[in-house]
């Protein structure tokens, strides 16, 4: 079960809404959805959480590139919404480097594609366990890097992480209204 919220910071305070993520397939789609929730230069946060497994915060400031933080990249990699957040840039991958490792037929140099034991798709060892992304994404809004990382530690995710973030940012009441 997922929970998602858009929080737009306006001159009048924070405004929250629950987005429809059914048609969101890429980070660009998610960023466009966030930009539509606020005015041109407003900061909009997208909170996404999957049942005590992981949470993500995407920050969109006007037309700037989105900034992303994920509490547990390995857990997020196993979910459809998490995969949207785990771009090559967030994972520290250079797409051109990945192309060099794989032949046009999808196999690595010297391998054949007739390995019956092979499993399709990326393995979890390509995504690190634990927090990933910009740990300072909320610092200027009222939550320190240390506080954010404390919500992401081993066993620390209790389902209240987004509520604690909202409390630190001064928008817990508007987040609670869409929960």
């Amino acid at each position: 079960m997922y929970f998602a919220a858009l929080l737009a910071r306006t001159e009048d305070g924070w405004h929250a809404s629950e987005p429809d993520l059914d048609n969101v397939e890429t980070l660009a789609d998610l960023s466009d959805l966030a930009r539509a929730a606020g005015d041109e230069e407003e900061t909009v946060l997208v909170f996404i959480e999957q049942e005590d497994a992981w949470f993500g915060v995407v920050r969109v400031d006007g037309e700037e590139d989105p900034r992303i933080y994920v509490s547990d990249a390995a857990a997020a990699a196993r979910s459809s919404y998490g995969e949207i957040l785990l771009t090559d840039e967030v994972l520290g991958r250079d797409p051109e480097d990945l192309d060099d490792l794989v032949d046009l037929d999808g196999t690595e140099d010297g391998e054949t594609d007739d390995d019956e034991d092979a499993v399709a798709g990326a393995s979890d060892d390509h995504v690190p366990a634990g927090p990933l992304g910009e740990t300072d994404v909320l610092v200027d809004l009222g939550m320190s890097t240390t506080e954010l990382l404390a919500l992401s530690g081993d066993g620390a995710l209790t389902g209240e992480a987004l509520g604690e973030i909202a409390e630190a940012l001064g928008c817990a009441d508007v987040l609670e209204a869409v929960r």
Side-chain angles (χ1 to χ4, degrees):
M1 179 75 135
Y2 290 96
F3 169 75
L6 293 172
L7 293 134
R9 187 175 184 201
T10 69
E11 291 177 4
D12 301 326
W14 290 94
H15 296 280
S17 60
E18 192 170 358
D20 180 5
L21 299 179
D22 290 342
N23 295 322
V24 173
E25 296 179 6
T26 65
L27 181 58
D29 294 341
L30 188 61
S31 298
D32 290 344
L33 186 67
R35 287 184 184 99
D39 290 335
E40 283 184 29
E41 296 302 314
E42 290 178 346
T43 295
V44 178
L45 301 176
V46 181
F47 286 177
I48 300 176
E49 179 180 63
Q50 182 185 10
E51 295 181 339
D52 298 344
W54 66 274
F55 70 88
V57 177
V58 178
R59 178 177 177 162
V60 178
D61 293 302
E63 291 301 317
E64 292 182 28
D65 289 340
R67 298 173 60 197
I68 301 165
Y69 175 79
V70 177
S71 66
D72 186 336
R78 294 185 295 271
S79 77
S80 58
Y81 294 125
E83 286 179 341
I84 291 171
L85 306 181
L86 298 175
T87 64
D88 287 334
E89 183 177 285
V90 170
L91 290 168
R93 296 177 182 162
D94 183 355
E96 290 180 16
D97 291 343
L98 295 175
D99 289 342
D100 292 341
L101 297 175
V102 179
D103 287 338
L104 291 176
D105 67 355
T107 61
E108 291 183 26
D109 260 344
E111 287 186 0
T112 61
D113 59 358
D114 61 328
D115 185 0
E116 293 177 14
D117 295 328
V119 177
S123 66
D124 287 345
D125 61 301
H126 292 291
V127 179
L132 191 65
E134 296 189 39
T135 58
D136 64 347
V137 69
L138 302 172
V139 168
D140 65 322
L141 299 175
M143 177 164 253
S144 73
T145 296
T146 304
E147 292 170 313
L148 185 60
L149 288 170
L151 295 173
S152 306
D154 292 334
L157 190 55
T158 64
E160 297 302 319
L162 295 181
E164 291 183 38
I165 293 170
E167 184 74 33
L169 303 183
C171 59
D173 54 336
V174 296
L175 179 64
E176 194 59 37
V178 297
R179 271 197 171 219

